[in-house]
Amino acid sequence: MTNSLKNRITILCVGLVLLTTMVSLFSFWWSTSKFQEEKVNQDISVAQNVYKQYLKSKESLLLTAAKVLTSDFGFKQAVATRDAGTISSVLFNHSQRIDAELMMLIDLSGTLISANTSEDHFAHDLRPLMKELLNAPEQSSFVVLNKELYQVILLPVKAPRTVAYSLVGFKIDDSVASELKNLTGMDVSFIGSADDLVISSLVKRPEQFDPVNYFNTLTTSRFFSEYLVYRNRDINLPSLHSHPIIILLSADLTQSYSDFEKLFLTLMVLAILTLFVGVVTSSLLANNLTTPLTQLAAIARQFALGNYSFEFKGKKQSSEITTLVEAFNSMGNDIHEREQQINFQAKHDSLTGFYNRSAMLEVLCEQLEPSTEYTLVGIDIKGLRHINDKLGPRIGDDCLKAVACRIGEFSDELGGFHARIGGDEFLTVFPMAAAKEFKSGIEGLMAQLQACYTIQKLKINLRFSAGIVQYPTQGIASDDLMRRVLIAVDSAANEHESIHYYQVGEDEAHLERLIMLDELKQAISDNDGQLFMTYQPKLHMKTQKIDKVESLIRWQRKDGSWVNPELFIDLAEQSGLIVELTAWVVNTVVAQVANWQSKGIELQAAINVSAQDIAFPGFHSALVDTLKEYKVAPELITIELTERDMIENEEKGIKALEDLKMIGVKISLDDYGVGQTSLGRLKMLPIDELKLDKCFILKLDESQKDQFIVQSSITLGHQLGFSVVAEGVETLDSLNLLKNMKCDHAQGYYLSRPLKAELLEEWLHEYYAKN
């Protein structure tokens, strides 16, 4: 893996070594090049100084020799008398003493008088030469005579006046150049601008030797490129204007190149060795660092699998790795402890310590064996919510703990296990054989639970409902057992029983209700005609007109079967689907009222709503939006609630009803007379209408007591400012009695059953035709 830490460390270390090496090599090359360049320039400068000193010494020797010659009395006398033999002898002897290759005597007119060599080799008219030399008295100059280079000096011969000039000089040839080369270590070339004069220390010369071109262009092949062999410097020598002479100093760079390359190769070898050592060292370092990390990663994977026992295998590690290993060890122990705690909390109820519902399902799968009969007892505490509301949640929690303690005491003796499967619901399971008598055992548990509790110095009596399921005769799968226990508990609560034994078929009925609930939800969503509204007319007793209707929902399933409204509305309320169902009803009824208005039919429609509808925050705004959408006046809608809904949600319900009244919606209290509404609460309710329950109306013409109750209720309602509606009118005598009692509206089968909108319109046409 190129992205591994080991490879990254190796690449980093090797990269640093390589970078350092490259920088070092570049620095060496740059500094060495600069050093070599400065050294060559310095060597040339030294050679130039040596050359100057050499020529200076020659010049000094020439000057001394010339002065000695011109000061010699016999020589001056011979010059004055023009004694040719003496002059020639003196010049020859004197040149031999100082090794001067040139000694000449020239008269004042520039004519050669005598020389130490054959006079025929030199021009007879030396006036130009003498004229330029006289411009630099007692200083040597370089001149070319007879195509040969000489360093000469010219001094006058005075006796006592100047009678002649003595010219003394040393010959400059290849041997002199070689001598200078030996002194400076550089090739020396004397170059004249005329007559192609070339004197050089170079031994091996090409046939057509041009020193300037040769020394400036000669190259050599090295490792990296072609380089010049010589570094040159031109020096002008004191000479005649007509025939200038220069000296070319040429430093041979070949040895420097060779030394540089050897040193560079040595550094390259050292760099390669350093790089190799860096690779090996970084690999070892990376391996020493990543090996324990790899082991720690493997340990972490074991931690992830739940294995917290490990052994770190490795040689002596650094203190940091040791600390990390200890931290991993501590972390593993902490995670193990925390995991055990989390597992316990995940499977147990934090308040009672019992198994929770999901853990109980697993325990049932693992613990129950078909060969052994078990008893499953579901227990529900009645009214615990009221204890929490009145005495506070702490008292409620303590009650749960106390109940759990008694369940545990009873079940543990029988070798059972238990769980808290809901807010106030418990489940205990124990072998049937452990209880000598099955029913008495359950009754003993219930008696133990119903005994008085002392909670924070308060005496509290609790009531319970218990559901019993037998394993394996009434179920084997844990899901089935749990569901059937809860069904049995609900049955006990609904039937006001202390103990209910599960009966075969109750589970199927429960599943049928769930299926029915799913179908109801789908019917609301699809709006495909399964759900529809019927309308029962209400007769205005004074005007004998039909000005109100009650909207009643009906459901015919796809298979053609009818579902009792009380059943599916109760299911909707229990499941929370009632809000969606009521929204559908409101939308349908308001749309129908708008449709009737378009046909000239003015009817006020009553809609039955539940406590959940009133408590739902969006009910008011949704009703307002629907009325605006269909352009229906709020006064044409009446909201009907039962006394039970008002009592259960009194404070929130009153506020919601007041908000509805503010927009003009009418409020009706349904089923009045059979609930628990006190007269004191009745006067506080923001209602417009009392609707007398049909139990007082069905046999109103036969029961004098019903007549007293109805008469007093009508009188009370009118005195409180309410209109009164009587439902359940099935005979003409009952209708006449209500008319005499001054009841405002009546509805019932005597007038009409609930009808679909189209049939209601026909009925209204027939009714008004008859009346």
Side-chain angles (χ1 to χ4, degrees):
M1 293 177 61
T2 57
N3 202 31
S4 66
L5 178 60
K6 180 178 179 180
N7 290 339
R8 286 186 175 187
I9 294 174
T10 303
I11 292 172
L12 176 62
C13 294
V14 171
L16 290 175
V17 172
L18 183 61
L19 178 62
T20 304
T21 303
M22 295 301 294
V23 171
S24 300
L25 288 175
F26 176 78
S27 300
F28 162 76
W29 172 82
W30 185 81
S31 59
T32 304
S33 299
K34 288 293 183 181
F35 173 77
Q36 288 290 348
E37 184 177 358
E38 292 177 1
K39 185 177 182 302
V40 170
N41 290 332
Q42 186 178 6
D43 290 345
I44 292 177
S45 298
V46 170
Q48 183 177 351
N49 291 332
V50 171
Y51 142 76
K52 288 181 179 180
Q53 291 298 325
Y54 177 83
L55 295 184
K56 196 70 176 176
S57 64
K58 286 287 188 178
E59 182 183 59
S60 178
L61 183 59
L62 285 174
L63 181 61
T64 302
K67 286 184 177 182
V68 170
L69 179 63
T70 57
S71 300
D72 185 83
F73 179 78
F75 178 70
K76 290 193 289 183
Q77 188 177 8
V79 171
T81 59
R82 296 292 179 100
D83 185 351
T86 301
I87 293 172
S88 177
S89 175
V90 172
L91 292 176
F92 178 78
N93 292 331
H94 201 64
S95 65
Q96 291 295 317
R97 281 197 299 270
I98 63 171
D99 291 329
E101 289 82 2
L102 180 65
M103 277 208 175
M104 301 175 63
L105 185 65
I106 307 171
D107 63 12
L108 297 178
S109 62
T111 302
L112 178 64
I113 299 174
S114 178
N116 63 335
T117 59
S118 175
E119 297 176 6
D120 297 333
H121 293 168
F122 304 99
H124 293 285
D125 187 6
L126 297 175
R127 282 180 296 178
L129 173 63
M130 187 175 64
K131 184 179 180 181
E132 288 196 43
L133 291 178
L134 288 175
N135 292 329
E138 296 188 1
Q139 291 184 2
S140 63
S141 297
F142 290 83
V143 298
V144 177
L145 296 174
N146 195 25
K147 296 184 179 181
E148 290 182 341
L149 181 63
Y150 293 91
Q151 182 181 9
V152 299
I153 193 168
L154 181 68
L155 289 179
V157 180
K158 297 182 179 180
R161 59 181 180 83
T162 301
V163 294
Y165 291 96
S166 173
L167 184 66
V168 182
F170 293 115
K171 184 180 181 180
I172 305 297
D173 55 10
D174 291 346
S175 61
V176 174
S178 297
E179 184 180 355
L180 286 173
K181 179 178 180 180
N182 292 332
L183 289 174
T184 61
M186 299 182 186
D187 280 299
V188 179
S189 301
F190 294 87
I191 305 170
S193 60
D195 302 326
D196 296 328
L197 175 67
V198 174
I199 298 170
S200 178
S201 61
L202 187 65
V203 177
K204 296 181 179 180
R205 306 178 189 177
E207 293 182 359
Q208 299 294 328
F209 180 58
D210 179 3
V212 175
N213 182 63
Y214 178 82
F215 285 112
N216 283 316
T217 60
L218 185 63
T219 59
T220 179
S221 297
R222 311 309 299 180
F223 284 161
F224 306 109
S225 181
E226 293 281 334
Y227 294 95
L228 292 173
V229 176
Y230 293 97
R231 176 70 60 80
N232 304 290
R233 181 179 294 179
D234 296 337
I235 303 171
N236 293 317
L237 297 176
S239 56
L240 304 180
H241 293 297
S242 61
H243 201 307
I245 306 295
I246 64 170
I247 185 170
L248 181 65
L249 297 179
S250 302
D252 191 346
L253 304 178
T254 306
Q255 187 61 40
S256 297
Y257 293 149
S258 178
D259 294 341
F260 175 81
E261 289 169 355
K262 289 179 181 178
L263 186 57
F264 189 80
L265 287 175
T266 302
L267 287 177
M268 284 293 295
V269 172
L270 291 176
I272 293 172
L273 290 176
T274 304
L275 190 60
F276 175 76
V277 172
V279 171
V280 174
T281 304
S282 60
S283 297
L284 293 175
L285 174 64
N287 189 62
N288 290 337
L289 182 61
T290 56
T291 298
L293 293 179
T294 302
Q295 292 191 31
L296 291 175
I299 292 169
R301 286 192 291 272
Q302 291 298 315
F303 285 176
L305 297 175
N307 180 18
Y308 301 103
S309 60
F310 70 94
E311 181 180 355
F312 184 85
K313 297 179 181 179
K315 299 178 181 179
K316 185 177 179 180
Q317 301 293 338
S318 64
S319 59
E320 290 81 3
I321 295 297
T322 303
T323 302
L324 186 59
V325 171
E326 292 175 354
F328 257 73
N329 188 12
S330 176
M331 180 182 70
N333 294 332
D334 292 343
I335 292 176
H336 189 204
E337 293 177 1
R338 206 154 37 243
E339 188 177 78
Q340 289 180 331
Q341 181 180 1
I342 291 172
N343 286 336
F344 182 85
Q345 292 176 348
K347 294 183 177 181
H348 293 78
D349 173 52
S350 59
L351 184 64
T352 62
F354 284 7
Y355 287 118
N356 57 29
R357 182 168 182 162
S358 59
M360 190 61 169
L361 292 172
E362 296 179 6
V363 172
L364 291 175
C365 290
E366 296 170 359
Q367 299 290 337
L368 300 186
E369 300 177 358
S371 59
T372 305
E373 293 182 342
Y374 290 88
T375 299
L376 286 79
V377 183
I379 302 166
D380 175 66
I381 306 175
K382 296 180 179 180
L384 183 64
R385 182 166 64 101
H386 296 291
I387 292 177
N388 284 327
D389 293 341
K390 302 300 182 182
L391 301 179
R394 288 189 179 182
I395 299 294
D397 290 345
D398 289 342
C399 289
L400 288 171
K401 292 179 183 179
V403 171
C405 182
R406 293 188 184 183
I407 292 175
E409 290 174 356
F410 180 87
S411 185
D412 289 341
E413 293 180 359
L414 303 178
F417 45 90
H418 22 257
R420 183 184 176 193
I421 58 176
D424 53 4
E425 293 176 327
F426 294 88
L427 174 64
T428 180
V429 183
F430 49 83
M432 188 183 300
K436 296 180 180 180
E437 293 183 19
F438 175 67
K439 291 185 179 181
S440 62
I442 301 300
E443 292 170 353
L445 170 62
M446 296 305 294
Q448 185 172 334
L449 291 176
Q450 290 173 352
C452 184
Y453 293 85
T454 302
I455 306 297
Q456 297 185 18
K457 298 181 181 181
L458 296 175
K459 298 293 184 179
I460 297 177
N461 290 309
L462 298 176
R463 296 178 296 110
F464 300 87
S465 298
I468 313 300
V469 173
Q470 300 176 12
Y471 172 90
T473 57
Q474 293 181 329
I476 296 177
S478 59
D479 289 339
D480 294 339
L481 292 171
M482 182 73 72
R483 185 175 63 255
R484 289 168 185 173
V485 163
L486 293 176
I487 290 172
V489 172
D490 289 341
S491 298
N494 294 333
E495 297 172 11
H496 305 289
E497 297 177 341
S498 176
I499 301 173
H500 179 84
Y501 293 90
Y502 175 80
Q503 301 296 321
V504 177
E506 289 182 346
D507 193 11
E508 287 73 11
H510 175 73
L511 293 176
E512 173 62 24
R513 287 195 296 273
L514 294 180
I515 294 172
M516 185 182 297
L517 193 59
D518 288 338
E519 291 183 0
L520 176 60
K521 186 174 183 179
Q522 192 66 39
I524 297 173
S525 175
D526 295 343
N527 195 18
D528 56 358
Q530 293 185 60
L531 293 172
F532 58 91
M533 298 303 299
T534 60
Y535 304 90
Q536 189 172 30
K538 296 180 181 180
L539 175 65
H540 194 285
M541 302 296 285
K542 288 184 178 180
T543 63
Q544 294 295 303
K545 291 183 178 181
I546 306 297
D547 58 355
K548 293 183 180 182
V549 293
E550 181 180 4
S551 307
L552 299 169
I553 190 171
R554 298 292 184 262
W555 180 19
Q556 186 177 20
R557 299 164 79 175
K558 288 184 178 181
D559 59 3
S561 61
W562 291 87
V563 184
N564 190 314
E566 293 184 359
L567 175 59
F568 70 79
I569 291 175
D570 183 59
L571 283 175
E573 289 180 345
Q574 293 177 10
S575 64
L577 191 61
I578 190 64
V579 174
E580 296 179 36
L581 183 61
T582 301
W584 181 90
V585 169
V586 168
N587 187 77
T588 303
V589 172
V590 173
Q592 184 58 57
V593 171
N595 180 263
W596 283 332
Q597 281 186 312
S598 66
K599 297 177 180 179
I601 302 173
E602 193 79 14
L603 291 175
Q604 186 183 79
I607 301 174
N608 293 281
V609 298
S610 68
Q612 292 185 41
D613 296 319
I614 293 298
F616 181 62
F619 176 77
H620 181 274
S621 59
L623 177 59
V624 172
D625 292 342
T626 305
L627 292 172
K628 289 181 179 179
E629 179 183 357
Y630 292 102
K631 299 179 180 179
V632 172
E635 293 78 10
L636 294 179
I637 300 298
T638 300
I639 298 298
E640 289 191 6
L641 296 97
T642 63
E643 287 188 75
R644 173 178 57 85
D645 291 327
M646 292 303 304
I647 293 172
E648 289 187 359
N649 298 275
E650 183 174 350
E651 183 177 351
K652 187 178 291 185
I654 290 175
K655 178 66 172 61
L657 295 179
E658 288 175 347
D659 292 340
L660 291 173
K661 279 181 66 68
M662 288 180 64
I663 64 173
V665 174
K666 303 299 182 181
I667 309 298
S668 176
L669 183 62
D670 197 7
D671 297 338
Y672 177 75
V674 296
Q676 302 175 8
T677 303
S678 66
L679 295 177
R681 182 180 292 111
L682 184 62
K683 71 178 182 178
M684 296 172 56
L685 296 178
I687 60 176
D688 302 289
E689 180 181 271
L690 279 181
K691 194 171 186 181
L692 303 179
D693 190 77
K694 61 184 178 181
C695 67
F696 303 112
I697 308 300
L698 289 174
K699 296 183 179 181
L700 181 63
D701 56 340
E702 301 176 5
S703 172
Q704 192 174 18
K705 291 182 179 179
D706 287 342
Q707 294 174 16
F708 292 151
I709 294 173
V710 171
Q711 180 65 71
S712 61
S713 298
I714 293 173
T715 302
L716 176 63
H718 287 164
Q719 289 174 344
L720 292 175
F722 307 145
S723 64
V724 180
V725 178
E727 63 176 346
V729 178
E730 296 189 352
T731 64
L732 177 60
D733 292 337
S734 297
L735 182 63
N736 290 329
L737 285 171
L738 290 169
K739 184 176 181 180
N740 294 332
M741 294 177 183
K742 301 187 182 302
C743 184
D744 298 294
H745 285 85
Q747 71 177 93
Y749 283 0
Y750 175 76
L751 295 171
S752 173
R753 293 177 177 272
L755 301 171
K756 287 186 177 182
E758 299 82 1
L759 296 178
L760 177 63
E761 294 173 15
E762 296 178 4
W763 182 89
L764 288 173
H765 181 73
E766 293 177 359
Y767 173 80
Y768 285 117
K770 292 179 180 179
N771 297 280

